[in-house]
Amino acid sequence: MSKMGENGAANYHQHVALAPVEVSVELGFKNAASKCFDDDGRLKRTGTVWTASAHIITAVIGSGVLSLAWAIGQLGWVAGPAVMLLFSFVTYYTSALLADCYRSGDPVTGRRNYTYMDAVQANLNGIKVKICGYLQYLNIVGVAIGYTIAASISMVAIKRSNCFNKEGDDSPCRVNSNPYMIMFGVAEIVLSQIPDFDQISWLSILAAIMSFTYSSIGLVLGIIQVIQNGGIKGSLTGISIGTVSQMDKIWRSLQAFGDIAFAYSYSIILIEIQDTIKSSPSSEAKVMKKATLTSVAVTTVFYMLCGCMGYAAFGDLAPGNLLTGFGFYNPYWLLDIANAAIVIHLVGAYQVYCQPLFAFIEKWTLKTWPKSEFITKEIQVPIASGRCYNLNLFRLTWRTVFVIVTTVVSMLLPFFNDVVGFLGAIGFWPLTVYFPVEMYIAQKKIPKWSTRWVCLQLLSLACLVITVASAAGSVVGVVSDLKVYRPFKAS
């Protein structure tokens, strides 16, 4: 191996590969492309269409699927499924545009953009890079908080379902969620010490299996409930005026848009997932598009089945969280399995979302203080089978603090549905639509005011309107929740 290749490998291990390397001019990195290293001198990527699909499914089929029965309940049998199909199409289309931005120039040999921000930097530059970074990482923090809340709700649901089984369905069975949030936080502190995104494929695959498990249970219970009801509940226009006021109907319908947007939200980590895919004769973009198509198609089928069946089972009374809102009480052991699967899934999904933020902060601190031993020093800790774990004190400290902070904020805001809607709303347009569209236009040099340019801008504008409306509906919901909940007193 050439000296340049050795330096490239060392740089990777020390996390100092801070910017993409221009492969076309760096002969040393061409030589570095070998059995162990890729064309940029980094350790060879091993991801496939299946591991990428597992990452996407882990990110997409999250706790958001459980709020879809409620969301369809607000919109009705006509608008509910139509909106879901619309979001699935927009997500797939814009994700395909974003996948083309992983490499600059040639789609096979061009310079790699390792992160979403790198892609924006390569195609747009200027203030847009900073705006993208703030939105992306703020959204990741929000997702971490939302997943902590959702996991604690599922753990509380297990406790309550066992209580209902013993004491009866009319028993209050109040359970404080704070200890369960702390338990989830402790688990994330441990798993957050996994150094890099490409080392959590096993966790994503496990989480994806769990997501199918609880979604399937929710679907089966919905079918059983419909059979017991002797027919399908619900209406063409959704929850009726009288059950809620006309103004509440409007706000809740807007919030439902945000819930559905959140259920499809994964573009903020798409480039990072694509960076795990191994180089092959075809471009990484083609593999990523296949993974995206597979994942979005699978999740849309599951979303339709779970959301529609939940609404068919409960109609206007569809709970905000299908498995923890206690539309179902029995069989309690099956509900326990479903909620345990949700917790395991969210443990993995938390890591899938947070690893890009972890990597960004660690690279920035290393660039800022390259001589600090606290930041750079790796301590080898022996583990099983003669292997060693490279313990970095800064990574241990800052990731632990991050998990603690998100856990504390979750205890302050322990309401699920409105938080989900707000997160989906604020992250959907800028990160799922605007930046992919603008980068694609810049990369392909699409002429201004051409038919394709106008269509892309109209798509972006329509999604902006939906985002603003959804955010407004979710804010109203959060304000309403704050009148009921008290910090650290959720039960």
Side-chain angles (χ1 to χ4, degrees):
M1 186 189 303
S2 66
K3 187 175 181 179
M4 180 65 78
E6 291 172 359
N7 288 341
N11 285 347
Y12 175 85
H13 285 296
Q14 296 170 19
H15 301 281
V16 296
L18 299 173
V21 178
E22 190 64 62
V23 176
S24 60
V25 298
E26 293 289 348
L27 182 60
F29 281 126
K30 282 186 177 180
N31 294 336
S34 65
K35 291 183 179 180
C36 297
F37 300 98
D38 271 328
D39 53 5
D40 57 351
R42 292 190 171 190
L43 285 177
K44 209 162 189 70
R45 295 157 177 85
T46 58
T48 64
V49 65
W50 300 113
T51 60
S53 296
H55 285 316
I56 295 170
I57 290 171
T58 298
V60 177
I61 303 187
S63 53
V65 68
L66 302 174
S67 68
L68 291 178
W70 180 91
I72 292 178
Q74 311 314 306
L75 300 171
W77 282 118
V78 176
V83 169
M84 202 176 295
L85 287 174
L86 173 65
F87 274 101
S88 68
F89 170 76
V90 170
T91 299
Y92 169 71
Y93 181 71
T94 57
S95 295
L97 300 184
L98 186 55
D100 284 330
C101 299
Y102 173 65
R103 286 186 184 264
S104 297
D106 190 276
V108 178
T109 61
R111 186 186 67 199
R112 296 174 187 264
N113 298 309
Y114 301 121
T115 67
Y116 198 127
M117 280 184 67
D118 287 343
V120 176
Q121 176 75 52
N123 291 283
L124 299 178
N125 288 317
I127 190 66
K128 292 181 180 179
V129 180
K130 291 185 177 180
I131 293 173
C132 170
Y134 287 130
L135 287 172
Q136 182 187 10
Y137 297 125
L138 180 63
N139 203 261
I140 288 173
V141 173
V143 168
I145 294 168
Y147 280 2
T148 303
I149 295 169
S152 71
I153 290 174
S154 290
M155 286 186 274
V156 166
I158 294 173
K159 183 76 173 177
R160 292 186 70 205
S161 70
N162 288 296
C163 175
F164 287 137
N165 182 60
K166 292 179 181 178
E167 306 295 336
D169 293 350
D170 296 328
S171 301
C173 292
R174 296 191 178 277
V175 182
N176 192 321
S177 64
N178 290 340
Y180 298 98
M181 290 189 188
I182 294 170
M183 289 169 58
F184 182 82
V186 170
E188 293 303 339
I189 287 173
V190 175
L191 290 172
S192 292
Q193 301 312 310
I194 299 174
D196 299 303
F197 204 127
D198 61 350
Q199 295 177 24
I200 62 171
S201 294
W202 64 272
L203 190 58
S204 284
I205 292 170
L206 175 63
I209 292 170
M210 291 298 104
S211 67
F212 285 122
T213 299
Y214 67 73
S215 297
S216 300
I217 291 173
L219 172 61
V220 169
L221 290 175
I223 293 172
I224 293 171
Q225 187 67 44
V226 169
I227 294 171
Q228 289 179 350
N229 293 341
I232 293 174
K233 293 188 176 183
S235 65
L236 295 179
T237 57
I239 192 167
S240 54
I241 306 297
T243 304
V244 294
S245 68
Q246 185 170 1
M247 188 56 66
D248 281 343
K249 165 79 173 174
I250 293 171
W251 291 125
R252 287 165 68 129
S253 297
L254 294 178
Q255 186 189 332
F257 275 81
D259 282 7
I260 296 172
F262 179 81
Y264 278 103
S265 177
Y266 79 98
S267 296
I268 58 176
I269 55 172
L270 184 144
I271 295 292
E272 285 80 354
I273 293 174
Q274 193 167 344
D275 191 45
T276 67
I277 296 173
K278 64 182 177 182
S279 300
S280 60
S282 60
S283 68
E284 294 88 354
K286 288 184 179 179
V287 177
M288 194 65 194
K289 288 176 184 178
K290 288 180 183 178
T292 297
L293 179 60
T294 301
S295 304
V296 171
V298 169
T299 54
T300 299
V301 170
F302 259 77
Y303 283 177
M304 282 290 189
L305 290 172
C306 292
C308 292
M309 199 54 65
Y311 181 45
F314 298 108
D316 287 354
L317 299 178
N321 188 312
L322 192 59
L323 293 175
T324 63
F326 288 93
F328 302 114
Y329 289 92
N330 288 299
Y332 78 96
W333 57 268
L334 188 60
L335 286 172
D336 289 352
I337 292 173
N339 282 299
I342 293 171
V343 174
I344 295 171
H345 170 261
L346 291 174
V347 166
Y350 187 105
Q351 290 301 314
V352 169
Y353 269 101
C354 291
Q355 283 289 339
L357 175 60
F358 294 160
F360 171 75
I361 295 296
E362 284 152 24
K363 288 176 181 179
W364 177 80
T365 53
L366 187 60
K367 185 178 180 181
T368 307
W369 299 285
K371 296 182 180 180
S372 170
E373 284 196 11
F374 176 68
I375 293 172
T376 61
K377 187 175 180 180
E378 300 275 352
I379 302 171
Q380 289 198 335
V381 179
I383 53 177
S385 303
R387 297 180 179 180
C388 289
Y389 172 76
N390 291 326
L391 176 65
N392 179 278
L393 293 178
F394 173 71
R395 182 172 65 230
L396 174 65
T397 304
W398 113 259
R399 294 189 184 191
T400 300
V401 170
F402 173 83
V403 174
I404 291 172
V405 170
T406 56
T407 303
V408 170
V409 174
S410 301
M411 293 162 72
L412 287 167
L413 303 171
F415 29 87
F416 174 68
N417 233 46
D418 298 312
V419 171
V420 162
F422 184 71
L423 291 174
I426 63 172
F428 178 71
W429 175 72
L431 297 171
T432 301
V433 181
Y434 174 76
F435 282 114
V437 164
E438 291 300 310
M439 286 191 287
Y440 185 78
I441 289 173
Q443 188 180 62
K444 301 299 182 182
K445 297 180 173 59
I446 297 174
K448 199 171 186 178
W449 301 112
S450 64
T451 302
R452 193 171 193 185
W453 184 92
V454 170
C455 289
L456 287 170
Q457 295 297 345
L458 286 175
L459 171 65
S460 183
L461 179 62
C463 291
L464 172 61
V465 172
I466 292 172
T467 290
V468 172
S470 301
S474 297
V475 167
V476 170
V478 170
V479 170
S480 179
D481 285 330
L482 287 172
K483 295 177 181 178
V484 178
Y485 285 93
R486 288 183 296 166
F488 302 109
K489 294 294 184 182
S491 61

